[in-house]
Amino acid sequence: MTVNRVVALLAGLMVLASIGLAQFVHPNWIWLGVFVGFNLAQSGITSFCPLSTVLKKAGVPTQ
């Protein structure tokens, strides 16, 4: 699995988790989804993604 696929998978899971937590635990968990969405937007604009940097250093293949 490549870095881009791992980033997309983890971002999607984090958004789904924040929706579930906001629904069943506390509404403030929605801010986790807001943070993930903001990070995805800035990553698309600047081409810098902190998670992909960490994954590359951890040895996840890029291609």
Side-chain angles (χ1 to χ4, degrees):
M1 199 180 281
T2 64
V3 169
N4 291 337
R5 291 185 68 189
V6 172
V7 168
L9 175 67
L10 288 178
L13 290 174
M14 293 298 289
V15 169
L16 290 174
S18 75
I19 292 169
L21 288 167
Q23 178 68 32
F24 297 112
V25 178
H26 194 278
N28 281 340
W29 277 104
I30 202 70
W31 290 108
L32 175 63
V34 171
F35 172 75
V36 172
F38 178 77
N39 194 15
L40 285 171
Q42 73 82 23
S43 173
I45 294 168
T46 65
S47 297
F48 172 72
C49 178
L51 179 58
S52 66
T53 304
V54 171
L55 290 172
K56 287 175 188 173
K57 287 183 180 179
V60 177
T62 57
Q63 291 293 334

